[in-house]
Amino acid sequence: MTSLEEARELLRAFPVVDGHNDLPWALRKKAGYDLDALDIAGDQAERLHTDLPRLREGGVGAQYWSVYVPADQPEAVAATLEQIDCVRQLLARYPADLAPALAAADLEQARRDGRIASLMGAEGGHSIANSLGTLRGLYALGVRYMTLTHNDNVDWADSATDEPKAGGLTAFGREVVREMNRLGMLVDLSHVAATTMRDALDATSAPVIFSHSSARSVCDHPRNIPDDVLERLPGNGGMAMVTFVPKFVLQAAVDWTAAADDNLRAHGFHHLDTSPEAMELHRAFEERTPRPVATVSTVADHLDHMREVAGIDHLGIGGDYDGTAFTPDGLNDVSGYPNLLAELLDRGWSRADLAKLTWQNAVRVLGAAEDVARDLRATRAPSNATIESLDG
C-alpha cells in the first residue's frame, strides 16, 4: 500500500475536521448567494476551491464554515447574519451531504451517518459591534467560534496586522473571552497579535483554537504563532490548526509579497488595491519576479515543528480554502488533504498521530469547551457589561 492509499484509508475512519473555509463569502462575491448559479453539488473547480465532490475526495468529515465579513463592511452585523443564512441555505439544499452541527456529539453522529458536519465560525470581533448581547445572538444562531480580530484591530483587541492600540486585550476584551467561555463558543486566536494571544490565554477558562494559523519559527509572519504561545497549548488544552496560505507558510512568499506591496506603494497605490491599474502593475512585477510556490512539504514542515513544541494532542488543520487566491502545489483545493497525510506518513507520523490531527483533537476541544460552559452557566449569569462601562 502506498502512503497515499494509506492516507485515504485512514481518512475513511478519521476524516478531516477543517477549521476554516470561506465558501460563504465566495458565494456572496461570485454569485450573490445564488446557489443555482454556483451549485456546489457539481464540479466548480474553475471558480471555487470547494464543492461537495472534492470535499468527499479530500476526506473532509467536518467543516467550520467561516461567516466572515470585512472589518470595514457597512452594517457588519447584518452582513454576518446573511453569511449565517447562506450556510443554512447550503444545509437545506444538500441534506444528504451536509449535516448541521452544534456540538461534539453532532460531529460523531455525522461521521456515523457519512455526512459532513457543518459548523460556523465568525471571523472577527467586529461582527458583534461591541455587544455581548450580539455575541449571544450569534451563538444562538449556531456560531461556535469567533476569531477575536481579523486584519484590523477592534476596539477591545489588537490584530496581528494592525498597529498596536490596546496592547492585547482591554478589560472589555477579557469580558468577551469570559462570556464566550460561558456560552461554549471557542475563542479563536488566528489573526490576533501575539499580545492578544497571551492575554486571551490568561483570561480563558476553556481551550482556545487557532482556526487557521501556522508556526512563526518556521515562517516569520505576524499571522503565525510564536513558540511561547504554542508551548502554552498543552496547559490550556487547546489546538493550533495549520493553514496552507503560501504567504503565511513559505518565507520566500512572505518576502515576495512584501516586495510586491512595496512596488504598489511606490507607484501611489494601496497594497490592497485591486483596481485595473494596480493589477496591471502587480502582473508586471510578477512577470519580472516570479511568485515563490509553496508545496505540501512546506506545510508539513510547520506541522513537524508545531508537534515538537505543542505536542500531537494540540494540532489540527485549517486550510483557509476560498479565502486565499493562491494555494500550495498538492493542496490546490479541498481534495488535497490526503497528499498532506501521505507526506506526514513518509516523515514517520503514525496512524494514531494522524487520527488526532484530522479528527480526534478537534472533537475533544469542542467537547471540552461545552463542559466548561456547562459548569459556568450554573454559577455565572450572562454578562451585561458594555465597552463603555469597562474601557470608558
Side-chain angles (χ1 to χ4, degrees):
M1 182 185 297
T2 67
S3 296
L4 185 58
E5 290 169 338
E6 187 175 355
R8 293 189 186 282
E9 180 188 52
L10 184 140
L11 286 168
R12 286 191 283 274
F14 298 102
V16 169
V17 180
D18 183 275
H20 194 88
N21 184 301
D22 278 300
L23 176 65
W25 188 253
L27 291 172
R28 173 185 171 125
K29 294 292 287 184
K30 296 183 178 184
Y33 297 129
D34 184 343
L35 302 187
D36 290 322
L38 207 47
D39 184 357
I40 64 166
D43 182 0
Q44 293 293 342
E46 294 299 316
R47 300 184 68 186
L48 297 168
H49 295 143
T50 309
D51 54 47
L52 295 176
R54 284 180 291 163
L55 285 167
R56 296 293 194 180
E57 184 181 351
V60 177
Q63 181 66 66
Y64 280 96
W65 302 109
S66 176
V67 291
Y68 157 80
V69 301
D72 60 357
Q73 177 75 27
E75 303 294 336
V77 175
T80 302
L81 296 180
E82 291 171 359
Q83 288 276 279
I84 292 170
D85 181 68
C86 176
V87 175
R88 290 186 163 190
Q89 289 188 53
L90 291 171
L91 292 170
R93 186 180 179 102
Y94 308 110
D97 293 287
L98 303 179
L102 299 173
D106 298 330
L107 273 69
E108 295 290 9
Q109 185 61 55
R111 182 171 67 148
R112 289 191 291 270
D113 293 342
R115 296 197 288 168
I116 300 166
S118 292
L119 307 102
M120 289 184 283
E123 190 174 19
H126 57 280
S127 290
I128 66 168
N130 296 339
S131 165
L132 296 178
T134 301
L135 175 71
R136 289 189 286 272
L138 294 186
Y139 180 84
L141 291 171
V143 174
R144 287 300 177 266
Y145 76 64
M146 184 174 73
T147 321
L148 298 186
T149 73
H150 189 239
N151 289 336
D152 301 322
N153 297 339
V154 293
D155 290 334
W156 42 270
D158 283 346
S159 167
T161 49
D162 201 349
E163 291 299 317
K165 181 179 178 182
L169 286 176
T170 69
F172 184 75
R174 292 189 290 274
E175 189 71 1
V176 170
V177 168
R178 286 189 286 266
E179 188 64 10
M180 292 174 73
N181 291 165
R182 194 193 66 83
L183 290 169
M185 184 185 288
L186 290 164
V187 175
D188 177 22
L189 300 180
S190 287
H191 280 287
V192 307
T195 50
T196 306
M197 298 175 194
R198 297 175 187 120
D199 282 356
L201 283 164
D202 290 342
T204 188
S205 54
V208 303
I209 65 167
F210 291 83
S211 67
H212 57 307
S213 293
S214 296
R216 195 174 298 188
S217 288
V218 179
C219 181
D220 188 14
H221 191 285
R223 271 281 283 107
N224 288 333
I225 314 167
D227 278 1
D228 71 285
V229 176
L230 286 170
E231 289 168 355
R232 294 185 63 175
L233 288 179
N236 167 262
M239 65 185 298
M241 307 176 88
V242 69
T243 197
F244 302 164
V245 180
K247 66 180 180 180
F248 300 152
V249 297
L250 181 65
Q251 190 62 52
V254 174
D255 298 339
W256 185 94
T257 300
D261 291 348
D262 287 344
N263 179 63
L264 285 175
R265 294 188 191 99
H267 289 84
F269 293 94
H270 188 276
H271 71 280
L272 296 178
D273 194 329
T274 57
S275 66
E277 297 81 5
M279 288 291 87
E280 184 177 351
L281 272 170
H282 194 67
R283 283 189 293 271
F285 178 85
E286 191 165 356
E287 287 177 6
R288 296 193 305 272
T289 312
R291 180 186 298 272
V293 178
T295 66
V296 174
S297 180
T298 308
V299 177
D301 288 345
H302 282 265
L303 282 169
D304 277 342
H305 180 79
M306 293 159 78
R307 182 175 69 162
E308 181 179 343
V309 177
I312 187 58
D313 294 321
H314 304 283
L315 303 185
I317 296 171
D320 202 8
Y321 286 118
D322 284 305
T324 177
F326 301 97
T327 55
D329 279 357
L331 294 170
N332 306 77
D333 56 42
V334 295
S335 68
Y337 300 99
N339 297 329
L340 178 59
L341 268 62
E343 172 72 18
L344 294 172
L345 284 166
D346 288 342
R347 294 181 179 215
W349 286 50
S350 69
R351 291 172 63 91
D353 290 339
L354 294 178
K356 290 180 177 182
L357 174 73
T358 58
W359 182 263
Q360 293 172 339
N361 290 343
V363 175
R364 173 187 57 78
V365 167
L366 181 58
E370 295 164 19
D371 292 341
V372 169
R374 192 175 303 113
D375 292 341
L376 289 176
R377 289 184 187 188
T379 59
R380 184 184 301 170
S383 174
N384 292 312
T386 65
I387 192 166
E388 293 79 12
S389 67
L390 293 181
D391 294 343

